[in-house]
């Protein structure tokens, strides 16, 4: 039985027809341009039509939507969507009315974790901890065959665990969050700050020579080339990520830890630092039965997870 | 329906007849003297007889045992019991044979958390985080009406979350665990170290004048009297406890946080530091619906929880 998965990000909306085994049989995407919930729902409807028209013979049943936002998955209300500028929007209802069918709405990271659990690197795991490091740092816990949501649906905000009280200001407004050191946006910001503080040094030359726009992966390359400023930034990010994930392995006692996200992909030293930190700092008893795996579904995990959750 | 709850600690064994509402209707205790599992099972049988003989008209059905040990609650095997010197002992079977009835065996802190959840400060909570600071530091998570155990039953070891990589050596053999700074045994040890390093100072005089054996509560009194060494030890312990608990509130998103244990009772500044840390460092969204409460059942929580779990 095929269902629709939708990934509503900060700038793009993607839709996919996904079969019961988690295979993407058709896909479409376009920028949504932001705006009011009704406008975005209109774009989603168009992208869904585009995807479904590619496989006209496949009947499609449910619709699952992962959104880069804090969502109450029980009511379908978007509490805060920083990229879209929404607050307290009953978007599952809005979209459901536009599409004429029911919609399951959840946080995009939860959707991605669900995809990995159902048909990716987490398949069959008893208790699963999924950590994604992309523009931000996020996590999801899957236990007893379900996403762990906590009392009000805001559990597992690993990016906002604090290890440096009074440290760097985070996008969330608090200080010292892990994401303020190790998220993709923050790494780029730290690179920018380092360049401002070190005009004419090796790092500035390295970046100028690369001819590329500022991005986190330049840190990885500069550090590998021996630049001490880049090394300090990356080592700090990696140590904090490693310690934060290790402490969650201790608390969650997962059978499997899955690592994914664009930042880990482009900065492999961060991925290594997480593995090193987990092995060094999690309790021996929680490590005894733990396996660590990379996410398998790449940037389709959210699409696939949302679709499978709607099935 | 009444059941038996047993609390098997490092030196004493206690047994109680507990009714279906969690009331203790009879209780007995004695030292067990350690030794082989069969010997300890014999003492438990005696204590149970002593408790049940006080209420001869009450029929007793199940037996639940909380033990200060790492336990596989599915097989009833004690993996490590440091105080008893046991390793890989199938104690549920041993005790079950001696008593002629089935036995539910679990970690004593899990039993205490269950008691608080069922009839104490956590009654009715959707997701519950229980933190006990006694000789050590421990926690339990209750979600979906059940104790969260993780993939291999060793979840929620809050005392061995690390916030000071390479820090103080912990009883578990690792470095920098929260328990190495904030557990009751460690606080006493830090007081002893401080006295050795500061003969003739105010702290040494304070302790000598008190005429009491070394114990953590002396730290609280010395700190309150203005002693800077005691203040540093307590502030560090409190900050680390506060940060560790705050991060778990962020991750678990509990409806209620319960604080208990003898060390928090005797060192109220540590309890205050946890509350301050949680309010300062947990995410705003996880704080929005959180209430913080003190454990209600005192040192009977483990007895009551074990009995109710056996019901």
């Amino acid at each position: 039985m095929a269902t629709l998965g939708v990934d509503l990000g900060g700038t793009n909306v993607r839709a996919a027809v996904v079969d019961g085994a988690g295979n993407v049989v058709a896909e479409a995407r376009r920028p949504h341009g932001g705006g009011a919930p009704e406008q975005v729902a209109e774009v989603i409807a168009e992208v869904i039509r585009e995807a479904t028209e590619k496989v006209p013979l496949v009947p499609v049943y449910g619709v699952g939507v992962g959104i880069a936002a804090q969502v109450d998955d029980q009511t379908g209300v978007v509490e805060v969507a920083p990229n879209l500028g929404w607050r307290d929007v009953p978007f599952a209802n809005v979209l459901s009315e536009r599409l004429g069918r029911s919609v399951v709405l959840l946080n995009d990271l939860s959707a991605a974790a669900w995809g990995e659990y159902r048909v990716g690197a987490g398949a069959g795991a008893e208790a699963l901890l999924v950590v994604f490091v992309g523009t931000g740092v996020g996590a999801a816990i899957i236990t007893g065959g379900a996403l762990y949501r906590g009392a009000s649906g805001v559990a597992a905000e690993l990016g906002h665990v604090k290890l440096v009280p009074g440290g760097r200001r985070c996008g969330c407004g608090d200080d010292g969050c892990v994401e303020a050191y190790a998220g993709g946006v923050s790494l780029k910001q730290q690179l920018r700050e380092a360049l401002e503080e070190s005009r004419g040094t090796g790092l500035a030359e390295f970046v100028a020579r690369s001819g590329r726009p500022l991005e986190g992966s330049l840190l990885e390359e500069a550090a590998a080339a021996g630049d001490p400023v880049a090394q300090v930034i990356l080592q700090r990010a990696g140590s904090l990520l490693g310690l934060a994930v290790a402490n969650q392995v201790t608390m969650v006692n997962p059978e499997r830890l899955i690592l994914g996200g664009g930042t880990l992909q482009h900065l492999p030293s961060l991925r290594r630092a997480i593995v090193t930190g987990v092995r060094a700092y999690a309790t021996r008893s929680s490590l005894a039965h733990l396996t660590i795996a990379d996410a398998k579904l790449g940037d389709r995990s959210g699409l696939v997870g949302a679709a499978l959750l709607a099935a």
Side-chain angles (χ1 to χ4, degrees), chain A residues 8 11 22 29 39 89 116 118 131 157 173 188 212 279:
Chain A
L8 177 54
T11 50
R29 96 156 62 194
Q39 286 173 279
V89 171
E116 291 291 340
R118 287 293 308 282
V131 174
E157 285 270 20
K188 193 154 83 173
R212 278 152 50 199
R279 299 258 173 242

Side-chain angles (χ1 to χ4, degrees), chain A residues 255-303:
Chain A
E255 180 181 341
R256 211 166 302 161
L257 166 65
I258 296 182
L259 303 176
T263 297
L264 291 193
Q265 203 178 326
H266 295 118
L267 290 84
S269 68
L270 284 186
R271 186 198 168 283
R272 286 194 299 274
I274 294 178
V275 174
T276 303
V278 167
R279 299 258 173 242
Y281 299 128
T283 52
R284 288 159 211 211
S285 51
S286 69
L287 289 171
H289 303 285
L290 179 76
T291 56
I292 303 178
D294 289 311
K296 267 189 187 165
L297 305 179
D299 69 352
R300 281 176 159 179
S301 55
L303 279 174

Side-chain angles (χ1 to χ4, degrees), chain A residues 9 17-18 81 120 189 195-196 209 225 290 308-309:
Chain A
V17 178
V18 177
Q189 176 62 20
L195 289 173
E196 281 165 10
R209 227 175 23 241
L290 179 76
L308 290 175
L309 207 66

Side-chain angles (χ1 to χ4, degrees), chain A residues 101-157:
Chain A
R101 52 170 118 191
S102 71
V103 166
V104 173
L105 188 72
L106 76 166
N107 169 268
D108 58 349
L109 199 143
S110 299
W114 189 252
E116 291 291 340
Y117 170 65
R118 287 293 308 282
V119 295
E126 167 77 11
L128 186 63
L129 176 62
V130 183
V131 174
F132 284 105
V133 186
T135 54
V137 175
I141 299 163
I142 291 171
T143 171
L147 279 160
Y148 176 75
R149 60 185 304 281
S152 58
V154 298
E157 285 270 20

Side-chain angles (χ1 to χ4, degrees), chain A residues 10-67:
Chain A
T11 50
N12 288 298
V13 53
R14 297 161 66 202
V17 178
V18 177
D19 71 17
N23 301 302
V24 172
V25 296
E27 194 175 347
R29 96 156 62 194
R30 64 178 69 178
H32 55 65
E38 290 74 16
Q39 286 173 279
V40 173
E42 189 57 41
V43 180
I44 292 175
E46 288 162 22
V47 180
I48 285 179
R49 193 171 50 234
E50 191 181 332
T52 51
E53 279 174 355
K54 291 180 181 174
V55 283
L57 298 181
V58 176
V60 173
Y61 295 91
V63 181
V65 180
I67 176 170

